[in-house]
């Protein structure tokens, strides 16, 4: 914790993830004196990464790991800050491997041999991959409501907010409830098992947009060449280059909101050390919903019920990521060199084959993403963070716990691929369900009108200059683009900033 101030801050930003650092950079550059505080010892939040164990300088993403060609703000900012990125291979490859109900088959085999699919699906699902079925059922739901599949983010927001289904707004329906009305039970089970996400009964329109615009077969993905942390570090440098300060290892112990027009009071404590009182006219909370729950925030009693309701408008989904390094990409003998992922109803659910070894050399990397409650619960309890390298010491709280997770993952990889799996050279476990994150991504609950909640959350109490930003309360809550566009709207609407010159004109910022 530093105390080298020429002036007291006029904006304190809590949270040094992508949204918080972006807010700090934009406000500091506009002439505000900004202090960004972060409870962790490093910046990045869910975009933080690490070095591959035993390979200093080789990046490894454990949270946010990619963005799409539609994410205008991410790409424009990365270009402006000279953060390099590269395009990834398409995920809709015919060699995508499925292991469902004990049967192994490839996406490219389904159309020619529908009986490969171990589900007694109806005629509408027969011969279709889960992605194709997902897209088809969404089109049918929209057609029933008199709409077509939107082509832009702006059009998706119109559909989510204005479309009615059976006389009720679309946002009042849960997605899986809506799908079950258009599929027989076996087709429904095939879709849930083969999609890789079992828990996302969000507001129906939100899942439709997330699937088609974020995970559809036509989506093009990009990754930062030096890991997502390279963007985070560039943002931190930009904040500090303009005179702002970033304090890591600094926890917010309490926030007091005095009368209107008075400075907001924060009690800050450095990890294992000094406590300090800081005041500022404005406070930006760039933290996830669980962190808002944990914060000792002096919410006015009259506003507390509506505040709680708005905070709880989104669902935090627990995510466990297990990343393993191998001397050779052994999976290519099974799935081929071009495949990028496999899907299963086993608890490991989704397996991504990263091509880092072709770009940077070193070990071949495989990432397991347990993204739903069924998969997550299988591996609990899991450490918030732990890693191990062959011949080295364990970095984590419980070696037996880490060994159990590793053994379970290897056993399931063996079933999925139908082949022997060599011992990994290293393993990393990251459980985003732990505090202060409470989950790895978020989605809107059915019945909540997202645009109204998002606007209220950006400034929850008109009598106080307290603001909330980040991906959770945006119109695309699973992506960095949502965090950035939500924050850009905040600084424009409530701090009077104009659109930056590096952002393409008329860029749509969502709700």
């Amino acid at each position: 914790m530093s105390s080298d101030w020429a002036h007291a801050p006029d904006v304190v930003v809590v949270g040094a993830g992508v949204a918080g650092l972006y807010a700090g950079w934009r406000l500091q550059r506009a002439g505000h004196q900004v202090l960004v505080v972060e409870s962790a010892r490093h910046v990045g939040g869910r975009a933080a990464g690490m070095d591959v164990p035993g390979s200093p300088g080789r990046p490894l993403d454990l949270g946010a790991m990619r963005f799409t060609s539609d994410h205008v703000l991410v790409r424009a900012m990365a270009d402006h800050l000279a953060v390099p990125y590269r395009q990834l291979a398409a995920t809709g490859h015919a060699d995508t491997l499925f292991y469902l109900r004990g049967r192994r088959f490839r996406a490219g085999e389904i159309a020619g041999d529908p009986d490969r699919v171990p589900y007694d699906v109806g005629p509408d699902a027969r011969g279709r991959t889960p992605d194709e079925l997902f897209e088809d059922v969404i089109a049918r739901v929209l057609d029933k409501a008199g709409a077509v599949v939107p082509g832009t983010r702006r059009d998706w927001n119109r559909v989510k907010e204005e479309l009615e289904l059976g006389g009720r707004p679309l946002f009042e329906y849960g997605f899986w409830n809506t799908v079950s009305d258009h599929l027989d039970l076996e087709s429904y089970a095939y879709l849930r098992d083969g999609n890789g996400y079992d828990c996302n009964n969000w507001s129906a329109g939100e899942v439709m947009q997330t699937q088609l615009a974020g995970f559809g077969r036509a989506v093009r993905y990009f990754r930062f060449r030096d890991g997502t942390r390279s963007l985070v570090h560039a943002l931190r440098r930009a904040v500090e280059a303009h005179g702002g300060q970033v304090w890591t290892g600094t926890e917010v112990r309490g926030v007091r909101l005095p009368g209107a027009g008075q400075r907001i009071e924060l009690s800050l404590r450095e990890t294992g050390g000094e406590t300090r009182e800081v005041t500022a006219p404005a406070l930006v909370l760039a933290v996830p919903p669980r962190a808002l729950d944990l914060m000792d925030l002096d919410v006015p009693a009259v506003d507390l019920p509506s505040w709680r309701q708005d905070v709880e408008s989104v669902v935090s989904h627990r995510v466990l990521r297990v990343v393993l390094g191998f001397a050779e990409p052994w999976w290519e003998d099974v799935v081929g060199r071009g495949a990028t992922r496999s899907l299963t109803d086993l608890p490991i659910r989704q397996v991504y084959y990263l091509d880092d070894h072709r770009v940077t050399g070193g070990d071949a990397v495989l990432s397991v993403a347990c993204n739903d409650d069924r998969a997550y619960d299988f591996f609990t309890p899991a450490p918030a963070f732990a890693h191990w390298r062959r011949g080295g010491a364990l970095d984590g709280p419980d070696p037996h716990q880490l060994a159990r997770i590793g053994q379970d993952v290897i056993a399931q990889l063996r079933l999925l691929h139908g082949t022997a799996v060599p011992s990994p050279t290293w393993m990393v476990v990251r459980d985003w369900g732990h505090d202060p994150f409470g989950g790895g991504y978020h989605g809107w609950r059915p019945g909540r009108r997202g645009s109204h909640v998002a606007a209220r959350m950006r400034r929850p109490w008109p009598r106080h200059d307290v603001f909330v930003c980040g991906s959770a309360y945006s119109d695309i809550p699973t992506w960095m683009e949502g965090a950035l566009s939500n924050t850009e709207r905040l600084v424009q609407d409530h701090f009077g900033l104009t659109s930056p010159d590096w952002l393409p004109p008329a860029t749509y910022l969502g709700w």
Side-chain angles (χ1 to χ4, degrees), residues 429-441:
V429 173
R430 186 63 166 102
D431 183 352
W432 292 105
H434 285 261
D435 290 339
F437 298 100
Y441 62 100

Side-chain angles (χ1 to χ4, degrees), residues 404-415:
R404 174 187 58 81
I405 292 172
Q407 290 165 3
D408 287 340
V409 168
I410 293 296
Q412 292 176 40
L413 288 173
R414 191 182 305 121
L415 275 175

Side-chain angles (χ1 to χ4, degrees), residues 140-160:
R140 277 190 273 157
V141 170
L142 293 177
D143 180 68
K144 183 178 179 180
V148 298
V149 174
T152 67
R153 181 178 170 188
R154 188 190 301 271
D155 289 340
W156 269 114
N157 282 342
R158 291 196 187 101
V159 164
K160 291 187 298 186

Side-chain angles (χ1 to χ4, degrees), residues 55 83 103 120 151 193 198 204 273 347 371 374 388 472 474 501:
S55 299
V83 181
R103 183 175 296 177
D120 186 20
D193 290 346
D198 190 36
N371 289 320
R374 178 175 61 178
W388 159 88
S474 75
D501 55 9

